[in-house]
Amino acid sequence: MSFIHDYFLITFLIFLCVYFNVDYKYRKFLLLITSYLFYFSLAGKCIFILLFTTLIDYYVGLTLYQFQYSHNNDRSKQNKKNLLFLLSLFTNLLMLFIFKYYNFFVDNFSFLSAKEYLPYSNLILPAGISFYTFQSLGYIIDIYNEKAEAEKNFVTYALYISFFPQLLSGPIEKAQEMIPQLIRKTNFDFDFFMDGLLRFSFGLFKKLVIADRVAIVVNIVYKNPDNYSWAMLVVATFLYSIQIYCDFSGYCDMAIGISKMLGIKLTENFQIPYFSSSIKEFWKRWHITLGRWFRVYVYIPIGGNRNTDGSPSIFRGLFNIWVVFFLCGLWHGANWTFVVWGMLHAFYYSIETILGVVKEKIANSINANTNLGILRSIYNSKYFTLSSSTIYKFSSIFILQIKIAITFILVNIAWIFFRANNLSDAVFIFNKIFFSNHSSIEIKNELIIPLQNMFASSLDLPIIMIVLPISILITYILIKIKEIKSNFNSCAWVPLKSSIFYIIILSIMIFKVSKYAEFIYFQF
């Protein structure tokens, strides 16, 4: 069973009624059993991998925490802590290697040696293994660094790892934020329920009406990129940026919505990333919890932007950024396309950082120059405040829009490598878009077949173009409601939320694709 199955929402609402009507002390057991059944319905026997990881890290976490209060000498205690930590690290990474990276290793080893020494594995990739492995590793690292307490109750810890709304594709939660919510006694809250139901329905809309529909064109074009012109490849790449955002953020919306109906608040994973004015800002808005994980558990531990003596270093920081993005690309998949995608973002990030340093030095030299300093004083004086002028405001807005557009284009270029079936296809698409003959465009004829598959009737497109912006606007308003909600009676919002929910569900029923695909990030 998945969130997008027709009977999921009805099944969940029945479960919700049971959940809030059983005694509080049994709720964790009920939620844990439900989480395991949910995972088993999707991953089958792979549930034993999840159980194995849970048991190992529960034991390691508890033992590491007990060492903090032991009376052994420091060296003995530290050695045992190191061994336990390495046990968890080795076990988790070994599971990832065996199930996700083994065949990738065999391919590259065979290529370098020009012989096939190792057999291929027929093991399937367990759903969500990258997500729950990172969540479990983060828990162990925090305990090892004495930044968190170990959870003594096995049921609570197992639920933290396997909590079904975010088990398969995140958000990747920290134990300090998640576990207290799992052990807290909560009662049914109608406001939370309505907010969660609306958030779930909008995520479902983004997945079934937008992501899966544009995926039709993307899949047709990217399956045989040599059959299409550079312009059609640009269109398909642009549509993929919409697909992956609506697919992944749609899942997170559904996960957050389900959790909220249960009285649990998950971390926001997206903040309108395509409106970022820089690559740095993009990574503060896109897959926020993964970025946080790499920053806390990789970037800072390997030195961040400081030398070994503690002095700040731009080049050390950039080197570590390349390491982080290499691992980030590899985390997404066992394919060089993902690695190149990560390296492209590292390149963008580096250029952006270097340009920022150059800009700062130029500004400092201008301030240091006596003549230019006088001009700047006049410029900043109350008699010549250009910053308050209409021209300055409009120019600032224009420059911001240019930055957003450039960032979006750079992100789309990287998506080529992320989406392509292999590296040769990615290079072919990149070369055709940027270096082929652009004199003739036959995109109108090329679009006919994909659009016929994308829209069942001629009315679908205009109606969707009307429903989509209205839905986005209403959702934005609802997000802002919480900022002013305290000034109003919460009951006043119920009719509005209910109406929006019914509109979204009706739109899904009418415009969803006949064949839906699983979430993109399930493969990671």
Side-chain angles (χ1 to χ4, degrees):
M1 184 191 298
S2 179
F3 294 165
I4 54 179
H5 288 151
D6 296 335
Y7 47 83
F8 173 81
L9 185 56
I10 296 172
T11 306
F12 174 72
L13 292 176
I14 294 171
F15 163 77
L16 201 64
C17 293
V18 176
Y19 178 79
F20 280 110
N21 281 285
V22 299
D23 192 277
Y24 165 71
K25 61 184 178 181
Y26 300 119
R27 288 182 186 174
K28 279 192 299 184
F29 292 98
L30 179 61
L31 197 51
L32 179 61
I33 292 169
T34 303
S35 296
Y36 281 145
L37 288 174
F38 176 82
Y39 188 75
F40 180 76
S41 70
L42 287 169
K45 294 179 181 179
C46 292
I47 192 172
F48 293 109
I49 308 301
L50 173 62
L51 288 169
F52 177 73
T53 299
T54 303
L55 287 168
I56 290 291
D57 285 344
Y58 172 73
Y59 166 75
V60 170
L62 206 57
T63 311
L64 280 174
Y65 188 64
Q66 289 171 351
F67 277 128
Q68 295 181 25
Y69 301 98
S70 67
H71 299 290
N72 296 340
N73 62 71
D74 290 341
R75 177 169 299 216
S76 173
K77 183 175 76 171
Q78 191 60 43
N79 288 339
K80 290 179 180 179
K81 282 183 66 175
N82 291 343
L83 285 173
L84 281 168
F85 174 71
L86 289 174
L87 170 65
S88 173
L89 187 66
F90 175 78
T91 303
N92 280 285
L93 295 182
L94 180 64
M95 292 296 102
L96 275 178
F97 176 79
I98 291 173
F99 289 97
K100 188 170 183 176
Y101 299 108
Y102 175 76
N103 286 340
F104 179 65
F105 170 77
V106 170
D107 278 336
N108 287 280
F109 184 79
S110 300
F111 175 79
L112 293 174
S113 62
K115 292 182 180 180
E116 295 184 3
Y117 290 106
L118 299 171
Y120 283 96
S121 169
N122 294 322
L123 296 171
I124 62 171
L125 178 66
I129 187 172
S130 297
F131 286 92
Y132 68 70
T133 298
F134 266 35
Q135 185 157 304
S136 188
L137 271 176
Y139 168 81
I140 293 299
I141 294 170
D142 283 342
I143 296 173
Y144 176 77
N145 292 326
E146 300 184 1
K147 293 181 179 179
E149 297 182 359
E151 177 51 50
K152 298 179 179 64
N153 187 296
F154 176 75
V155 173
T156 303
Y157 174 73
L159 182 56
Y160 161 66
I161 297 299
S162 62
F163 184 56
F164 78 90
Q166 48 91 221
L167 172 61
L168 298 174
S169 294
I172 302 170
E173 296 291 340
K174 292 178 71 69
Q176 302 94 310
E177 298 170 359
M178 184 75 172
I179 289 179
Q181 297 188 75
L182 297 176
I183 61 178
R184 184 183 66 213
K185 184 177 181 179
T186 56
N187 296 316
F188 179 77
D189 187 303
F190 188 73
D191 281 348
F192 264 50
F193 172 77
M194 286 302 300
D195 288 345
L197 190 62
L198 194 59
R199 187 70 178 267
F200 176 89
S201 64
F202 190 63
L204 196 63
F205 177 87
K206 288 201 287 188
K207 167 62 176 171
L208 295 183
V209 177
I210 305 173
D212 285 357
R213 191 173 289 273
V214 300
I216 296 170
V217 174
V218 174
N219 294 339
I220 290 173
V221 175
Y222 268 81
K223 185 179 180 180
N224 297 295
D226 51 325
N227 293 341
Y228 295 93
S229 69
W230 68 270
M232 190 62 203
L233 292 171
V234 169
V235 171
T237 303
F238 169 74
L239 290 177
Y240 182 69
S241 70
I242 296 173
Q243 179 197 351
I244 193 169
Y245 171 72
C246 290
D247 188 284
F248 192 18
S249 70
Y251 176 92
C252 291
D253 285 339
M254 285 184 263
I256 291 169
I258 292 168
S259 301
K260 199 163 190 179
M261 286 187 267
L262 291 166
I264 296 170
K265 185 179 180 182
L266 297 182
T267 307
E268 292 290 343
N269 221 13
F270 292 89
Q271 294 288 347
I272 322 178
Y274 291 147
F275 285 87
S276 304
S277 58
S278 66
I279 294 298
K280 290 182 182 179
E281 186 183 353
F282 174 81
W283 278 101
K284 291 177 181 178
R285 293 168 170 238
W286 176 274
H287 206 170
I288 296 168
T289 56
L290 180 67
R292 178 180 67 178
W293 197 96
F294 274 112
R295 183 177 67 254
V296 173
Y297 301 120
V298 178
Y299 179 71
I300 294 174
I302 62 176
N305 63 345
R306 295 188 176 276
N307 290 315
T308 52
D309 60 358
S311 60
S313 170
I314 294 171
F315 295 105
R316 175 65 184 272
L318 291 179
F319 174 79
N320 291 337
I321 284 293
W322 280 81
V323 172
V324 166
F325 275 111
F326 171 81
L327 294 175
C328 181
L330 201 59
W331 177 88
H332 278 84
N335 194 319
W336 284 111
T337 55
F338 296 113
V339 175
V340 174
W341 169 80
M343 295 294 92
L344 272 174
H345 276 277
F347 175 73
Y348 298 157
Y349 201 104
S350 300
I351 296 298
E352 195 172 280
T353 301
I354 293 169
L355 289 176
V357 172
V358 171
K359 180 182 176 182
E360 185 178 351
K361 287 185 177 181
I362 291 173
N364 291 336
S365 66
I366 289 174
N367 287 329
N369 188 292
T370 306
N371 296 327
L372 291 175
I374 294 171
L375 292 175
R376 179 167 287 280
S377 298
I378 297 172
Y379 170 79
N380 290 326
S381 70
K382 64 180 181 179
Y383 301 107
F384 189 73
T385 311
L386 186 62
S387 60
S388 63
S389 70
T390 304
I391 297 174
Y392 181 83
K393 289 178 181 178
F394 275 107
S395 64
S396 297
I397 293 171
F398 177 74
I399 292 171
L400 178 63
Q401 301 307 313
I402 293 295
K403 287 182 177 179
I404 291 173
I406 291 172
T407 303
F408 182 68
I409 291 169
L410 292 175
V411 169
N412 270 266
I413 292 172
W415 283 140
I416 293 173
F417 292 86
F418 194 94
R419 174 58 184 85
N421 297 321
N422 50 62
L423 203 54
S424 60
D425 275 6
V427 172
F428 173 82
I429 293 168
F430 181 86
N431 287 334
K432 196 161 188 178
I433 289 175
F434 292 99
F435 302 109
S436 66
N437 182 10
H438 293 176
S439 59
S440 61
I441 300 178
E442 298 179 0
I443 192 169
K444 184 176 179 180
N445 294 329
E446 289 179 316
L447 272 172
I448 292 175
I449 295 176
L451 285 178
Q452 284 175 346
N453 288 278
M454 189 172 174
F455 300 106
S457 72
S458 58
L459 291 176
D460 276 5
L461 179 58
I463 294 176
I464 288 173
M465 295 302 291
I466 294 171
V467 172
L468 177 59
I470 292 175
S471 300
I472 294 172
L473 177 62
I474 292 173
T475 304
Y476 176 78
I477 292 170
L478 287 174
I479 292 171
K480 292 296 181 182
I481 280 176
K482 61 185 178 183
E483 300 176 5
I484 58 173
K485 199 173 182 180
S486 57
N487 299 324
F488 296 89
N489 184 350
S490 61
C491 294
W493 300 111
V494 173
L496 175 61
K497 291 178 182 178
S498 300
S499 300
I500 297 168
F501 170 72
Y502 289 126
I503 291 171
I504 293 174
I505 292 298
L506 183 62
S507 300
I508 293 170
M509 293 173 65
I510 296 173
F511 300 116
K512 71 174 183 178
V513 293
S514 57
K515 280 188 175 182
Y516 52 77
E518 280 297 353
F519 293 93
I520 292 173
Y521 268 68
F522 275 17
Q523 64 183 301
F524 306 139

